[in-house]
């Protein structure tokens, strides 16, 4: 009987292999959202698709790996080499796959594209575990301990891979480069394992195909690395591009239309003229009216900085504005290409955490994070609004911008926002950005006191313009949004798909493919 490899040279190489492949699984899963998000957004549906596909692929890998392990003494290197090549070509296939799945819409499109792009490599990595168990088991009596040890080491590898990617690697290197680097690393690991199999298992059958796969990977690497080029044309010009922890931030010019856009993934969060830099977003013009609504507004907090136009508008009224933004790349783009100059404290971080650290009171708080395809729903709950209420002066105003459909006043998402605000603030008024359009920006003003737009003592700069946009919201169709239960993302799925289609039609689908 041939001796087990575990009795010849120990299990160290096997543990090292499952550790590294376990880390690779989590790297692919986490990076998957960064490859999909610029096209479909980083919504709950994208995360759900990726997690589901990962579990499906690993389940198939466990099953097929067990069958292969029972029928062959060697082949672990071939499995890893195949996983490496499939991982390496993911960035290469991303564009064609995303374009092909685009007609299926947000939910089905994100699931199918995720399934095509990531399940092959994840399935091959899932096959490593059962094969390693077979190699590490010298007797039936030891199968439990061997199985437990292999999967424990693999899980530790997944933990280390997650921490290394999130805390160190991803902030320094782009997602495409990490995918390609991981693919090459797996191919090199496969060759090392093939050498071990040849030496100790006397197996030469897998050396040739493993070598071929590695050569194919190294041969394709230059083409994959150069497969994405920044587009410059008479129609679109990409002026700024930065992949951050939270999204793919770009500044895109449309010279013929004299428009400069600030985008984060598939969301437009700022727009200005190229020639003069004036703000082109209509809803933000209402901000210019706010200083007339309450006396002695001196200090404001803006959550969701965008291109910084609202800060500049408030500055003209003598209002100092602290800004709170989760993505530093957006602040960098606003500074360089939209002439944004901070007037107050600039805070980088997640709003729910950072607002707990703030002290003092604000005369005005603007919550402007519900504009794009993906919405941070945790910022629009009773608990989140109560935190903001605690930062607001008695005479202050909370302003919230929300993009949705009017639907003749029967939109459940719009009604839910109004109903939730009413749980925290006794008074609110709602304005529509562009009367006559169903898809719109809706601006909520929530206060502790009544604002009477008919009060002649209020020196509006454009009284009629503001009153024409006043709305009455029927909250019958709405639900109260809480940290425990918020269905806002579900209520806004039609809005997300419509918004994304508008942006794609305006800029072109290729601008959202990494």
């Amino acid at each position: 009987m041939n001796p087990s490899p575990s009795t010849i040279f120990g299990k160290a190489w096997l543990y090292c292999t499952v550790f590294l492949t376990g880390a690779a699984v989590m790297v692919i899963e986490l990076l998957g959202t960064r490859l999909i998000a610029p096209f479909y957004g980083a919504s709950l549906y994208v995360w759900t698709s990726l997690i589901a596909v990962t579990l499906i692929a690993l389940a198939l890998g466990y099953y097929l790996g067990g069958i292969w392990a029972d029928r062959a003494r060697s082949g672990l290197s071939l499995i890893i080499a195949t996983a490496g090549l499939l991982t390496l070509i993911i960035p290469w296939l991303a564009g064609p796959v995303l374009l092909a799945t685009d007609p299926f819409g947000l939910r089905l499109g994100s699931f199918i594209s995720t399934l095509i792009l990531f399940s092959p490599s994840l399935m091959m990595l899932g096959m490593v575990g059962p094969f390693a168990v077979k190699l590490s088991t010298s007797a039936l009596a030891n199968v439990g301990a061997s199985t437990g040890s292999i999967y424990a080491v693999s899980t530790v590898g997944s933990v280390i891979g997650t921490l290394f990617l999130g805390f160190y690697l991803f902030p320094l290197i782009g997602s495409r480069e990490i995918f390609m680097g991981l693919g090459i690393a797996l191919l090199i690991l496969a060759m090392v394992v093939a050498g071990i199999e040849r030496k100790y298992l006397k197996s030469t059958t897998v050396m040739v195909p493993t070598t071929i796969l590695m050569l194919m990977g190294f041969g394709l690497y230059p083409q994959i690395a150069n497969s994405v080029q920044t587009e410059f044309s008479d129609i679109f010009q990409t002026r700024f591009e930065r992949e951050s922890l939270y999204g793919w931030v770009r500044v895109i010019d449309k010279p013929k239309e004299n428009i400069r856009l600030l985008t984060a993934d598939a969301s437009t969060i700022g727009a200005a003229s190229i020639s003069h830099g004036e703000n082109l977003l209509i809803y933000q013009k209402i901000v210019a009216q706010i200083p007339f609504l309450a006396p002695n507004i001196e200090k404001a907090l803006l959550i969701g900085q965008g291109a910084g136009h609202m800060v500049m508008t408030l500055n003209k009224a003598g209002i100092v504005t602290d800004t709170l933004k989760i993505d530093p790349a957006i602040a960098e783009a606003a500074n360089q290409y939209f002439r944004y100059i901070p007037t107050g404290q600039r805070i980088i971080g997640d709003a729910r955490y950072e607002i707990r650290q703030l002290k003092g009171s604000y005369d005005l708080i603007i919550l402007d994070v519900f504009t794009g395809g993906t919405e941070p729903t945790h910022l629009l709950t009773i608990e989140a609004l109560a935190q903001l209420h605690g930062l607001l002066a008695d005479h202050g105003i909370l302003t919230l911008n929300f993009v949705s459909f009017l639907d003749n006043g029967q939109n459940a998402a719009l009604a839910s926002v109004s109903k939730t605000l009413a749980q925290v603030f006794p008074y609110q008024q709602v304005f529509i950005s562009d009367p006559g359009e169903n898809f719109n920006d809706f601006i909520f003003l929530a206060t502790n006191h009544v604002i009477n737009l008919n009060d002649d003592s209020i020196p509006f700069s454009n009284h009629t313009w503001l009153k024409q946009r006043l709305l009455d919201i029927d909250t019958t169709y709405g639900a109260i949004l809480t940290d425990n239960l918020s269905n806002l993302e579900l209520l806004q799925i039609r809005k997300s798909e419509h918004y994304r289609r508008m942006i794609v039609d305006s800029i072109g689908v290729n601008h959202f493919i990494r």
Side-chain angles (χ1 to χ4, degrees):
M1 184 176 68
N2 292 324
S4 167
S6 62
T7 63
I8 298 177
F9 54 89
K11 299 180 181 180
W13 73 274
L14 205 52
Y15 286 151
C16 181
T17 300
V18 296
F19 177 90
L20 293 174
T21 55
V25 168
M26 290 308 300
V27 169
I28 293 173
E29 181 178 5
L30 291 174
L31 280 183
T33 56
R34 295 306 324 128
L35 206 64
I36 299 293
F39 197 80
Y40 283 114
S43 67
L44 175 63
Y45 303 110
V46 170
W47 273 108
T48 300
S49 296
L50 191 59
I51 293 172
V53 165
T54 300
L55 294 175
I56 292 170
L58 290 178
L60 287 173
Y62 297 152
Y63 176 73
L64 296 176
I67 294 177
W68 190 346
D70 284 340
R71 296 180 179 179
R73 294 180 60 251
S74 62
L76 183 59
S77 60
L78 183 58
I79 292 172
I80 298 172
T82 305
L85 184 62
L86 290 172
T87 301
L88 179 65
I89 65 174
I90 286 175
W92 198 20
L93 297 177
V97 170
L98 291 173
L99 290 173
T101 59
D102 185 42
F104 294 106
L106 175 60
R107 286 178 286 189
L108 186 58
S110 63
F111 178 78
I112 294 176
S113 60
T114 302
L115 188 68
I116 295 172
L117 288 172
F118 306 117
S119 62
S121 56
L122 288 171
M123 183 182 70
M124 298 307 298
L125 290 172
M127 294 173 66
V128 172
F131 212 99
V133 169
K134 181 65 179 291
L135 291 175
S136 67
T137 304
S138 57
L140 185 62
N142 300 326
V143 68
S146 297
T147 302
S149 298
I150 290 295
Y151 281 101
V153 171
S154 177
T155 302
V156 172
S158 296
V159 173
I160 299 300
T162 301
L163 295 174
F164 181 69
L165 175 67
F167 290 171
Y168 177 74
L169 194 60
F170 190 68
L172 300 176
I173 306 175
S175 57
R176 285 176 54 85
E177 290 73 20
I178 297 175
F179 267 120
M180 292 184 289
L182 178 62
I184 294 297
L186 287 173
L187 288 171
I188 295 173
L189 175 63
M191 288 304 301
V192 173
V193 174
I196 294 174
E197 288 179 318
R198 182 178 182 178
K199 180 176 182 180
Y200 292 102
L201 296 179
K202 308 303 179 183
S203 174
T204 58
T205 57
V206 295
M207 179 62 75
V208 173
T210 300
T211 303
I212 292 174
L213 289 175
M214 188 189 72
L215 293 175
M216 287 177 59
F218 277 91
L220 288 172
Y221 183 87
Q223 187 173 353
I224 298 172
N226 297 322
S227 61
V228 174
Q229 300 290 339
T230 302
E231 298 181 25
F232 281 85
S233 67
D234 293 336
I235 301 176
F236 301 104
Q237 296 178 356
T238 301
R239 296 297 185 186
F240 175 92
E241 186 172 20
R242 187 83 73 247
E243 184 178 23
S244 71
L245 289 173
Y246 306 100
W248 187 26
V249 180
R250 292 202 294 181
V251 175
I252 301 172
D253 282 357
K254 301 172 71 175
K256 291 185 177 180
E257 300 179 39
N258 192 29
I259 295 176
R260 172 166 291 172
L261 302 174
L262 176 59
T263 67
D265 288 337
S267 299
T268 296
I269 59 176
S273 68
I274 299 173
S275 57
H276 297 91
E278 66 266 22
N279 181 27
L280 298 180
L281 298 180
I282 298 176
Y283 81 91
Q284 293 187 4
K285 293 182 179 180
I286 293 179
V287 175
Q289 309 298 320
I290 294 178
F292 299 102
L293 299 178
N296 303 320
I297 295 183
E298 298 178 353
K299 188 176 182 181
L301 171 66
L302 172 60
I303 303 173
Q305 170 193 292
H309 291 113
M310 284 191 285
V311 173
M312 293 182 277
T313 297
L314 294 174
N315 187 43
K316 293 178 182 178
I319 299 173
V320 176
T321 305
D322 294 341
T323 58
L324 173 51
K325 186 67 186 176
I326 194 171
D327 195 339
I330 293 177
E332 181 183 352
N335 288 136
Q336 293 184 18
Y337 293 92
F338 291 88
R339 307 173 187 173
Y340 164 63
I341 301 176
T343 61
Q345 183 182 7
R346 189 172 70 174
I347 308 165
I348 303 295
D350 186 89
R352 282 297 292 268
Y353 172 80
E354 296 296 341
I355 60 179
R356 293 199 305 269
Q357 317 307 314
L358 294 174
K359 297 179 181 179
S361 62
Y362 289 95
D363 307 308
L364 171 64
I365 297 178
I366 301 175
L367 186 57
D368 187 24
V369 293
F370 300 96
T371 56
T374 303
E375 298 178 329
T377 55
H378 65 292
L379 297 181
L380 192 42
T381 63
I382 289 179
E383 293 83 356
L385 293 173
Q387 286 181 315
L388 294 176
H389 185 274
L391 293 175
L392 202 62
D394 291 338
H395 65 278
I397 300 173
L398 173 70
T399 303
L400 186 151
N401 179 53
F402 189 76
V403 177
S404 193
F405 293 94
L406 180 59
D407 291 340
N408 296 318
Q410 299 180 358
N411 184 289
L414 203 59
S416 296
V417 174
S418 179
K419 198 167 188 176
T420 303
L421 276 170
Q423 303 301 306
V424 181
F425 294 89
Y427 303 101
Q428 66 174 272
Q429 291 178 318
V430 188
F431 301 89
I432 187 169
S433 175
D434 190 6
E437 295 292 333
N438 186 36
F439 186 71
N440 234 302
D441 287 88
F442 299 89
I443 298 88
F444 292 79
L445 302 184
T447 59
N448 294 318
H449 59 280
V450 177
I451 296 178
N452 183 8
L453 295 181
N454 294 315
D455 187 351
D456 293 334
S457 65
I458 298 179
F460 287 115
S461 61
N462 196 336
H463 200 160
T464 303
W465 183 86
L466 194 60
K467 290 180 65 175
Q468 287 175 343
R469 287 163 170 74
L470 189 62
L471 285 179
D472 287 325
I473 299 295
D474 183 1
T475 60
T476 304
Y477 302 92
I480 298 174
L481 308 173
T482 68
D483 285 347
N484 179 60
L485 178 61
S486 173
N487 62 345
L488 188 60
E489 196 157 14
L490 178 62
L491 296 176
Q492 286 283 78
I493 183 65
R494 180 166 66 104
K495 167 259 177 181
S496 297
E497 292 180 335
H498 179 80
Y499 182 92
R500 177 178 169 274
R501 181 51 51 194
M502 287 175 55
I503 301 302
V504 166
D505 291 343
S506 172
I507 302 177
V509 69
N510 289 326
H511 280 268
F512 301 105
I513 296 175
R514 286 292 286 146

